Structure formats: structure tokens, C-alpha cells
Amino acid sequence: QGSVIVQGPIGSGKTVTLMQFVKAHPNRCFSYFLSDNYWVLRPSAFIWNLCSQMSEVLGENSSANKSWENIGIDLEGLKTIFGTLAQKIIHVAKKEKTVFYFVIDGLEWSFSGNKEDRIIDLFPLPFHSKGLQFLGSARSTIIPNITFPFTEEDPPYFSLTETTKYLDDLKPTKEDLTNIQDMSGGMPGYISIIKRLITENLLSFATLIEKPNEIDTLINIQWKESLDLLENSGKLALATLAYSIIPLNI
């Protein structure tokens, strides 16, 4: 109860864990997935997005009830509205005897920017031990920098049996599976990238053991091979999608 942060290195399955939680409780989660995108890291975008999700759950989605969406409202005004909406959510939780959750992935990115103008400076978020709780994720290295109280949890790792089932369609040998389990430690993200690389013929079981067993290296292999196949127009499209101020449809 209260605040829980799933911690672990890159590729350990933190984001997948939070995504699965949101998917399992779609009407009780107010989620935000942080990344290195400039627009995603704006405190105003963070607060605005969560306010919008809470308004939806509260049924305040008409233009009359969402006057706070006025583009001219400043961050302090948004913070006030955010607190009001959070209190309404806590009231609903008590009335319906249920629990709502703020789900924030990638807290390491919340430290980006100048002090007092970072998402982390908005924490701790309002919560109620029995009505509105916090679930976040962060890389292990950033955990000591988080100052509000929380319980630390590790993401669930794959057992050898689960790894075997996940990679079954690739027809690996028992030796291949043992090597992958030893290299990955059962980290879901690591194993997922290995599967993708092999599926796309960018890597084979035979050559896998010759590659450095660092997850960042595997990610770089995947991106390098994929980007080499793109023309300049494709790379420009990726950049546009990454840094667009508004959502774009593909």
C-alpha cells in the first residue's frame, strides 16, 4: 500500500510489468510512460495528461467540466486542479470501496531538466493508503535519488521453463536455452530482444554466445541493422514522430 517502485537495470521487464498492470486495471489506472522525448518530459504535459485521465474516470469529460484544458493555464493552475481531481478520485474510491493507481514508468527520466522545472519536483503525488496509490518504475541507479517514501520491488524474471516456452517457436536446443538463461538472468526485456534479433535474422543461436552479453549492445545491434535498411526519408519520419508536439497517426 502507498507507493511502490519496481526497480532494476534496463531490460529487466519494468515497463512490461507496468504495462501489464495498466492493461489489467484499465479503469483504475492513471498512467504516464516517461522517455527521453522533450515534450513528454514537460511537467505541464505530465500534469495535464493525468488530469485528463482522472476527468475521464470522474465523468467530467464535457467541454463545460473540462474548462481547465484552456491552453493558457499555467503549471501552478494545473497543479491546483490536479489536487482537486485527486481528492475527488479518493472520494470515489472510498464510496465504491476500490483502489485507483498513479502508474508512472521510467522515473529516471523525471530528473531531466533544471531543478524546480522537472517532473520529479512534482512528487510525491497525492495518494491515500486505501484509495489512491502509486506504482512506478526506475532503473536501480536512480533509486537513491528518490526522496519520498516507497517500497522497493523487483520485476518478475523468467524461469528456465518460462524462457523455454517463450522461445519455443524458434526451436532452440537445450544448450541454447541454458546459455540464454545464464546470459540474461531471466530478464524479460533481454530475452525479448534476443527473440526479435533471431526472428529478424540479425542474430543466430550459434553466434549469440560470441556477442557481448550487455543488453545495451544487443539494442544497438538491433537499431543499427534496422536503421541501415532505412532511407533518409524513413529516418526523418522517425525523428518527426519522436519529437512531434502533438500525437501523429501512422
Side-chain angles (χ1 to χ4, degrees), residues 223-239:
W223 270 105
K224 184 179 184 302
E225 295 286 352
S226 299
L227 288 175
D228 285 346
L229 297 175
L230 282 178
E231 298 179 352
N232 287 334
S233 58
K235 295 176 183 177
L236 179 60
L238 283 177

mmCIF file of all heavy atoms in Angstrom, residues 223-239:
data_model
loop_
_atom_site.group_PDB
_atom_site.id
_atom_site.type_symbol
_atom_site.label_atom_id
_atom_site.label_comp_id
_atom_site.label_asym_id
_atom_site.label_seq_id
_atom_site.Cartn_x
_atom_site.Cartn_y
_atom_site.Cartn_z
ATOM 1 N N TRP A 223 19.124 -1.692 -33.495
ATOM 2 C CA TRP A 223 18.886 -0.384 -34.093
ATOM 3 C C TRP A 223 19.791 -0.137 -35.291
ATOM 4 O O TRP A 223 19.355 0.404 -36.314
ATOM 5 C CB TRP A 223 19.091 0.710 -33.042
ATOM 6 C CG TRP A 223 17.839 1.026 -32.314
ATOM 7 C CD1 TRP A 223 17.507 0.675 -31.043
ATOM 8 C CD2 TRP A 223 16.710 1.735 -32.831
ATOM 9 N NE1 TRP A 223 16.247 1.114 -30.730
ATOM 10 C CE2 TRP A 223 15.731 1.777 -31.798
ATOM 11 C CE3 TRP A 223 16.416 2.337 -34.057
ATOM 12 C CZ2 TRP A 223 14.497 2.402 -31.964
ATOM 13 C CZ3 TRP A 223 15.190 2.961 -34.209
ATOM 14 C CH2 TRP A 223 14.256 2.981 -33.180
ATOM 15 N N LYS A 224 21.048 -0.526 -35.192
ATOM 16 C CA LYS A 224 21.978 -0.284 -36.297
ATOM 17 C C LYS A 224 21.527 -1.028 -37.546
ATOM 18 O O LYS A 224 21.480 -0.473 -38.645
ATOM 19 C CB LYS A 224 23.391 -0.720 -35.916
ATOM 20 C CG LYS A 224 24.436 -0.408 -37.004
ATOM 21 C CD LYS A 224 25.817 -0.834 -36.566
ATOM 22 C CE LYS A 224 26.835 -0.410 -37.619
ATOM 23 N NZ LYS A 224 26.550 -0.961 -38.953
ATOM 24 N N GLU A 225 21.179 -2.300 -37.371
ATOM 25 C CA GLU A 225 20.748 -3.094 -38.518
ATOM 26 C C GLU A 225 19.456 -2.533 -39.111
ATOM 27 O O GLU A 225 19.285 -2.482 -40.328
ATOM 28 C CB GLU A 225 20.531 -4.560 -38.096
ATOM 29 C CG GLU A 225 21.794 -5.277 -37.637
ATOM 30 C CD GLU A 225 22.713 -5.619 -38.789
ATOM 31 O OE1 GLU A 225 22.310 -5.433 -39.955
ATOM 32 O OE2 GLU A 225 23.837 -6.076 -38.528
ATOM 33 N N SER A 226 18.524 -2.108 -38.233
ATOM 34 C CA SER A 226 17.248 -1.578 -38.717
ATOM 35 C C SER A 226 17.422 -0.242 -39.422
ATOM 36 O O SER A 226 16.851 0.004 -40.483
ATOM 37 C CB SER A 226 16.269 -1.426 -37.551
ATOM 38 O OG SER A 226 16.014 -2.677 -36.950
ATOM 39 N N LEU A 227 18.235 0.639 -38.842
ATOM 40 C CA LEU A 227 18.436 1.953 -39.433
ATOM 41 C C LEU A 227 19.195 1.884 -40.747
ATOM 42 O O LEU A 227 18.978 2.691 -41.650
ATOM 43 C CB LEU A 227 19.178 2.866 -38.449
ATOM 44 C CG LEU A 227 18.359 3.340 -37.244
ATOM 45 C CD1 LEU A 227 19.246 4.122 -36.286
ATOM 46 C CD2 LEU A 227 17.184 4.196 -37.694
ATOM 47 N N ASP A 228 20.079 0.889 -40.875
ATOM 48 C CA ASP A 228 20.821 0.732 -42.125
ATOM 49 C C ASP A 228 19.896 0.422 -43.293
ATOM 50 O O ASP A 228 20.223 0.685 -44.451
ATOM 51 C CB ASP A 228 21.868 -0.379 -41.990
ATOM 52 C CG ASP A 228 23.069 0.070 -41.158
ATOM 53 O OD1 ASP A 228 23.191 1.298 -40.940
ATOM 54 O OD2 ASP A 228 23.851 -0.790 -40.730
ATOM 55 N N LEU A 229 18.725 -0.147 -42.976
ATOM 56 C CA LEU A 229 17.772 -0.504 -44.021
ATOM 57 C C LEU A 229 16.879 0.664 -44.412
ATOM 58 O O LEU A 229 16.175 0.606 -45.416
ATOM 59 C CB LEU A 229 16.892 -1.681 -43.552
ATOM 60 C CG LEU A 229 17.622 -2.997 -43.261
ATOM 61 C CD1 LEU A 229 16.643 -4.025 -42.695
ATOM 62 C CD2 LEU A 229 18.291 -3.546 -44.522
ATOM 63 N N LEU A 230 16.904 1.737 -43.604
ATOM 64 C CA LEU A 230 16.052 2.889 -43.870
ATOM 65 C C LEU A 230 16.728 3.904 -44.770
ATOM 66 O O LEU A 230 17.933 4.144 -44.669
ATOM 67 C CB LEU A 230 15.684 3.590 -42.559
ATOM 68 C CG LEU A 230 14.605 2.968 -41.681
ATOM 69 C CD1 LEU A 230 14.453 3.809 -40.423
ATOM 70 C CD2 LEU A 230 13.280 2.867 -42.404
ATOM 71 N N GLU A 231 15.934 4.497 -45.660
ATOM 72 C CA GLU A 231 16.429 5.622 -46.431
ATOM 73 C C GLU A 231 16.334 6.873 -45.564
ATOM 74 O O GLU A 231 15.745 6.867 -44.491
ATOM 75 C CB GLU A 231 15.591 5.793 -47.701
ATOM 76 C CG GLU A 231 15.667 4.595 -48.644
ATOM 77 C CD GLU A 231 14.809 4.793 -49.880
ATOM 78 O OE1 GLU A 231 14.051 5.784 -49.915
ATOM 79 O OE2 GLU A 231 14.887 3.962 -50.788
ATOM 80 N N ASN A 232 16.896 7.974 -46.010
ATOM 81 C CA ASN A 232 16.875 9.208 -45.225
ATOM 82 C C ASN A 232 15.462 9.660 -44.899
ATOM 83 O O ASN A 232 15.189 10.198 -43.830
ATOM 84 C CB ASN A 232 17.612 10.324 -45.977
ATOM 85 C CG ASN A 232 19.110 10.102 -45.958
ATOM 86 O OD1 ASN A 232 19.638 9.456 -45.068
ATOM 87 N ND2 ASN A 232 19.801 10.638 -46.951
ATOM 88 N N SER A 233 14.522 9.429 -45.834
ATOM 89 C CA SER A 233 13.139 9.837 -45.603
ATOM 90 C C SER A 233 12.542 9.061 -44.427
ATOM 91 O O SER A 233 11.761 9.598 -43.639
ATOM 92 C CB SER A 233 12.293 9.607 -46.864
ATOM 93 O OG SER A 233 12.339 8.236 -47.245
ATOM 94 N N GLY A 234 12.923 7.795 -44.301
ATOM 95 C CA GLY A 234 12.430 6.978 -43.196
ATOM 96 C C GLY A 234 12.982 7.449 -41.866
ATOM 97 O O GLY A 234 12.281 7.488 -40.850
ATOM 98 N N LYS A 235 14.258 7.830 -41.862
ATOM 99 C CA LYS A 235 14.872 8.333 -40.638
ATOM 100 C C LYS A 235 14.245 9.658 -40.230
ATOM 101 O O LYS A 235 14.042 9.935 -39.048
ATOM 102 C CB LYS A 235 16.381 8.487 -40.844
ATOM 103 C CG LYS A 235 17.102 7.158 -41.068
ATOM 104 C CD LYS A 235 18.579 7.364 -41.357
ATOM 105 C CE LYS A 235 19.261 6.024 -41.643
ATOM 106 N NZ LYS A 235 20.684 6.193 -41.991
ATOM 107 N N LEU A 236 13.933 10.493 -41.210
ATOM 108 C CA LEU A 236 13.290 11.774 -40.933
ATOM 109 C C LEU A 236 11.903 11.554 -40.336
ATOM 110 O O LEU A 236 11.485 12.260 -39.410
ATOM 111 C CB LEU A 236 13.181 12.598 -42.211
ATOM 112 C CG LEU A 236 12.504 13.977 -42.081
ATOM 113 C CD1 LEU A 236 13.280 14.843 -41.097
ATOM 114 C CD2 LEU A 236 12.428 14.656 -43.441
ATOM 115 N N ALA A 237 11.187 10.534 -40.858
ATOM 116 C CA ALA A 237 9.852 10.233 -40.334
ATOM 117 C C ALA A 237 9.929 9.795 -38.879
ATOM 118 O O ALA A 237 9.100 10.188 -38.052
ATOM 119 C CB ALA A 237 9.197 9.146 -41.180
ATOM 120 N N LEU A 238 10.934 8.984 -38.528
ATOM 121 C CA LEU A 238 11.101 8.546 -37.147
ATOM 122 C C LEU A 238 11.370 9.731 -36.231
ATOM 123 O O LEU A 238 10.825 9.821 -35.126
ATOM 124 C CB LEU A 238 12.263 7.547 -37.052
ATOM 125 C CG LEU A 238 11.992 6.126 -37.533
ATOM 126 C CD1 LEU A 238 13.269 5.291 -37.433
ATOM 127 C CD2 LEU A 238 10.893 5.474 -36.715
ATOM 128 N N ALA A 239 12.211 10.651 -36.688
ATOM 129 C CA ALA A 239 12.523 11.837 -35.889
ATOM 130 C C ALA A 239 11.275 12.700 -35.683
ATOM 131 O O ALA A 239 11.046 13.236 -34.601
ATOM 132 C CB ALA A 239 13.617 12.651 -36.568
#
